[in-house]
Structure formats: structure tokens, C-alpha cells
Amino acid sequence: MKGDTPQVRGVVLPGAFHPLSDTWLLARAGCRERLGPGARILELCAGPAFAGITVARSSGAHLTTVDVSRRAVVNARVNALLNRVAIRARRGDLFSAVAGERFDLILANPPYVPGQRPPRSGPARAWEAGDDGRAVLDQLCVAAPEHLRPGGVVLIVHSEVCDAQATLQAYADGDLAADVVARERGPLGPLLRARRTELEQRGLLRPGQEEEEVVVVRGRAPNAVVERGGAMLATVPRARSKVG
Ligand SMILES: C[S@@+](CC[C@H](N)C(=O)[O-])C[C@H]1O[C@@H](n2cnc3c(N)ncnc32)[C@H](O)[C@@H]1O
């Protein structure tokens, strides 16, 4: 058990990403979303899929996972089996593996460490995210709205170091109501510490910064647009954005 996260069983196969505190922060945020019968969850950058499996187990929703790593796909299937969760695990690059599909909840803990270009293969693909840490994040934010059902929600976890405001703005640009729904402060990880001088020079870390905040940024699609007497009525207000 991690904090108040519902318990799931699981293994981490060699070469797959070990879940960290951000995984469980995302899982807890996912469990707070209300999902109706027949709901569909998508976990992108799923790794062994602990977050998606936790939410699917607590809600009974159907889970789809996507990861570029073959091992991660196998790992997600094994963990779903261990938890008796219905899963469709696909290998692919972000939404390309689920082209044209829509979901009620999209979860992602993507690579977000700034400093080096994402490699084509190898374990560093799980964390390296380009100069500003947004190489994968920006693609996710732009494409998420067209993969949400009406009223659907996207939850992405990342460090404040790669700019929560940029995620909020990208959601708002995609007509999602955007908000930060979870925060957790902790010491800088070993990679950020090793890159501290460079990141301070580039303004991504404050001088002497020892801690970072990890945030879960939520975007919600408008509810279905209904037609009444020839007038189109959106059932929720247009997108708003705030740094929570
Ligand atoms: C930080 S790990 C997170 C794993 C898991 N979600 C967790 O929280 O424990 C990021 C994962 O994203 C995958 N990944 C990286 N780039 C990707 C891409 N373009 N499309 C799909 N998956 C990707 C990596 O293989 C890795 O499993």
C-alpha cells in the first residue's frame, strides 16, 4: 500500500520502469475520478501499468495501455492478469496506437527529465525528455483532447521543472478545463542533481534549489453538445485555466 492508494499486486520485469512516488500520485488522482459503467481508461507511457491497473481495479473500467517498450507491454499484461483487470496492451508511440479512439480517462506519467534528447531505445527512453523536459509532454497535451469522450478527463503527472503552466495552457488551447489537482514536494532526483549547474544556468532550476514539486495536471473535455430547437448548447462552461 502506498499512502491511501488501493492495493494492487504486480511485478516489474527486467528493463521495465520501477514505479515511483509520481506513479502513485497519478494513481490516487485517477481513483478520485468518477467513472460510469462501461468507462474506458487509456494509460499512455504505461510501463508496468500500476497506475492504470489501480484505477481500473477500483472502478471496474476497461483498461488500454500503450508503451514504446515491448517489455513494458508484456509487463502490463502480466500485472493486469495478476489483478484480474481486463486489459488491451499495445506497443506504439503515444496515441498512434489508438488512432481514432476516445476514452473517459487518460492517464500518463511520461518521460519528463530535462537535459538530453529522448533516445531511440534503452532504459533512458523512460525519462529523457529533451532540453526543457517537454518533448513527450507537448505531444500528449496537443493530442489528448481529440481522444477524450465528452466530459472525459486527462491526468498527466510531471515535475514543476518542466512547467505546469505550459501544460495548463496547452489543455486550455485544446478547449479543456484545466487545473492542478495534486502536488507532492520532494528532494531533487539524482539526474536533476547531476544536471543542476546546467539547469540553473538555463533557468529551469532556481539557484540552490534542493526540492521539486511534482504535479498532476487535469484537463476535462466539455460535456456533450446538445441541440435544442436549432440552438447548440454546451452543457459545461468553456475551458478555464488556473494554476491550482
Ligand atoms: C517515466 S516511465 C513511467 C512508467 C509508468 N507509467 C509508471 O508511472 O511507473 C515512462 C514510460 O514511457 C515510455 N515511453 C517513452 N516514450 C514513449 C512514447 N513516445 N510512446 C509511448 N511510450 C513511451 C517508456 O518506455 C516508459 O515505460
Side-chain angles (χ1 to χ4, degrees):
M1 178 86 81
K2 303 270 172 185
D4 57 356
T5 315
Q7 192 156 20
V8 291
R9 300 161 219 255
V11 295
V12 180
L13 299 182
F17 186 84
H18 276 260
L20 296 173
S21 57
D22 51 2
T23 309
W24 302 114
L25 191 66
L26 179 65
R28 288 195 294 278
C31 287
R32 289 195 290 273
E33 296 297 332
R34 272 196 250 145
L35 294 169
R40 300 181 74 207
I41 302 172
L42 171 65
E43 184 175 11
L44 290 172
C45 301
F50 282 98
I53 289 170
T54 303
V55 183
R57 234 184 89 135
S58 75
S59 62
H62 183 272
L63 175 64
T64 298
T65 62
V66 174
D67 201 289
V68 273
S69 150
R70 272 197 192 86
R71 288 163 201 243
V73 172
V74 173
N75 204 155
R77 289 186 185 133
V78 170
N79 285 343
L81 200 65
L82 288 172
N83 290 281
R84 299 198 180 137
V85 161
I87 194 173
R88 183 179 57 142
R90 292 203 163 161
R91 179 168 179 248
D93 180 10
L94 302 180
F95 290 103
S96 66
V98 288
E101 296 187 40
R102 290 183 183 266
F103 299 86
D104 301 282
L105 178 63
I106 299 174
L107 304 168
N109 178 12
Y112 60 75
V113 174
Q116 289 183 12
R117 197 183 297 172
R120 285 184 180 276
S121 60
R125 201 164 44 172
W127 57 82
E128 295 295 357
D131 276 352
D132 59 0
R134 299 196 59 89
V136 178
L137 264 170
D138 283 338
Q139 295 178 59
L140 274 174
C141 293
V142 168
E146 71 195 57
H147 291 277
L148 287 173
R149 284 178 168 168
V153 164
V154 53
L155 297 172
I156 302 179
V157 66
H158 65 78
S159 167
E160 59 167 350
V161 171
C162 38
D163 196 356
Q165 190 58 48
T167 302
L168 288 165
Q169 190 58 53
Y171 283 173
D173 291 346
D175 261 355
L176 305 184
D179 207 354
V180 173
V181 290
R183 298 171 179 276
E184 198 167 78
R185 185 160 283 284
L188 292 181
L191 274 173
L192 287 186
R193 277 204 306 275
R195 295 174 188 175
R196 189 203 302 262
T197 309
E198 179 206 332
L199 296 177
E200 281 181 5
Q201 280 165 358
R202 292 178 38 225
L204 293 177
L205 287 177
R206 294 181 298 279
Q209 184 175 340
E210 295 289 343
E211 293 191 328
E212 66 177 321
E213 194 167 57
V214 172
V215 292
V216 178
V217 191
R218 179 181 191 264
R220 184 176 187 275
N223 286 340
V225 172
V226 289
E227 231 178 315
R228 277 198 209 128
M232 298 288 275
L233 301 170
T235 58
V236 292
R238 297 280 291 175
R240 74 202 142 78
S241 140
K242 81 168 200 227
V243 183

